[in-house]
């Protein structure tokens, strides 16, 4: 649970996550899709789309940490957790938005039924998930040819989505925090054991609690 909470905190505090949330919120508030421009005032529309985007991004972050970015899922085909996560995200957001709309407008006959929300949220979640997955696959194909660090036993402890471009390893409580060009991950092990596994990884220990790679391309 502690590891999952730290992963969730890392996801929601990433600049890209916050920038994407704000961008989607502002665009939806201005464009006013799904009839919100005709049924809500500008102020109400801004609050409505903030709630929708905040809920959607929070659900996506929770699913990403618990399923898509979970190291336990690495034993499955790489697209299986992506598809399962996208379906879960789409269904969850559909239910939450449906309930939010019922709270605002009540159970009126004109309000779309639950299944119609799934028809919008699930396809969008699948398209976004596959776009991200194939984008990462391109990064992975490049990183496979990089340096001897790809053969380090320590790299096998990291989830696949982080790739193989290791930047640094540091002590973090009872864990070691590994940082790659695509994110970071906590591994439950001693720092000394991590150094043993990184002996031939092309880096050096610069402090009693820090190891850095000497060569890491962007």
């Amino acid at each position: 649970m502690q590891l999952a909470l730290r992963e969730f905190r890392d996801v929601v505090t990433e600049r890209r996550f916050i920038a994407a949330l704000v961008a989607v919120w502002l665009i939806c508030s201005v464009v006013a899709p799904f009839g919100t421009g005709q049924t809500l005032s500008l102020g109400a529309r801004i609050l409505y789309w903030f709630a929708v985007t905040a809920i959607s991004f929070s659900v996506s972050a929770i699913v990403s940490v618990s399923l898509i970015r979970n190291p336990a899922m690495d034993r499955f085909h790489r697209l299986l957790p992506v598809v399962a996560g996208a379906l879960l995200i789409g269904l969850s957001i559909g239910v939450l938005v449906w309930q939010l709309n019922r709270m605002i407008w009540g159970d009126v006959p004109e309000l779309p039924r639950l299944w119609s929300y799934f028809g919008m949220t699930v396809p969008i979640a699948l398209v976004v998930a596959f776009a991200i997955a194939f984008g990462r696959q391109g990064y992975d194909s490049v990183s496979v040819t990089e340096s001897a660090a790809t053969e380090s036993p320590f790299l096998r402890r990291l989830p696949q989505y982080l790739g193989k471009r290791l930047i640094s390893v540091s002590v973090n409580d009872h864990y070691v925090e590994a940082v790659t060009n695509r994110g970071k991950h906590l591994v439950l092990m001693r720092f000394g054991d991590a150094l043993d596994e990184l002996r031939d990884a092309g880096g050096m220990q610069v402090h009693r609690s820090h190891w850095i790679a000497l060569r890491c391309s962007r």
Side-chain angles (χ1 to χ4, degrees):
M1 179 60 69
Q2 183 182 10
L3 181 59
L5 290 175
R6 291 191 183 196
E7 286 279 342
F8 177 77
R9 180 197 61 194
D10 292 341
V11 170
V12 298
T13 54
E14 287 180 358
R15 291 182 179 178
R16 290 176 296 179
F17 182 92
I18 297 174
L21 188 152
V22 172
V24 172
W25 170 40
L26 294 178
I27 290 172
C28 290
S29 298
V30 173
V31 177
F34 309 123
T36 53
Q38 291 74 38
T39 57
L40 295 175
S41 64
L42 177 60
R45 195 163 67 236
I46 290 174
L47 292 175
Y48 173 84
W49 282 112
F50 176 79
V52 171
T53 52
I55 290 172
S56 302
F57 275 70
S58 297
V59 170
S60 302
I62 292 171
V63 174
S64 175
V65 169
S66 60
L67 184 63
I68 299 176
R69 295 177 63 164
N70 193 325
M73 298 299 293
D74 288 348
R75 64 179 181 274
F76 299 104
H77 189 277
R78 63 176 301 154
L79 290 183
L80 179 60
V82 173
V83 173
L87 289 174
L88 183 56
I89 290 171
L91 294 174
S92 300
I93 293 175
V95 171
L96 291 170
V97 174
W98 174 63
Q99 287 292 343
L100 177 62
N101 288 348
R102 290 186 64 189
M103 291 172 58
I104 296 175
W105 289 289
D107 195 9
V108 296
E110 293 81 9
L111 190 67
R113 297 305 173 186
L114 179 59
W115 64 267
S116 63
Y117 289 92
F118 293 155
M120 294 182 292
T121 58
V122 172
I124 293 174
L126 286 171
V127 169
V128 172
F130 274 103
I132 294 174
F134 282 112
R136 286 175 175 170
Q137 190 175 35
Y139 281 117
D140 287 343
S141 63
V142 174
S143 62
V144 167
T145 60
E146 288 185 355
S147 79
T150 56
E151 303 299 326
S152 169
F154 182 80
L155 268 296
R156 292 194 288 269
R157 297 180 180 272
L158 304 183
Q160 293 181 0
Y161 73 87
L162 284 179
K164 303 296 182 181
R165 302 181 182 181
L166 189 62
I167 297 175
S168 67
V169 176
S170 304
V171 174
N172 192 330
D173 292 336
H174 299 293
Y175 298 82
V176 293
E177 183 178 69
V179 179
T180 74
N181 67 313
R182 294 170 60 187
K184 53 187 176 181
H185 183 74
L186 293 175
V187 181
L188 183 58
M189 67 183 304
R190 296 185 305 176
F191 185 61
D193 295 335
L195 292 177
D196 290 339
E197 295 187 358
L198 291 167
R199 186 178 297 109
D200 300 322
M204 64 179 296
Q205 183 179 3
V206 296
H207 183 268
R208 64 179 182 178
S209 302
H210 299 283
W211 176 97
I212 62 170
L214 296 178
R215 293 172 54 190
C216 55
S217 58
R218 295 182 179 178

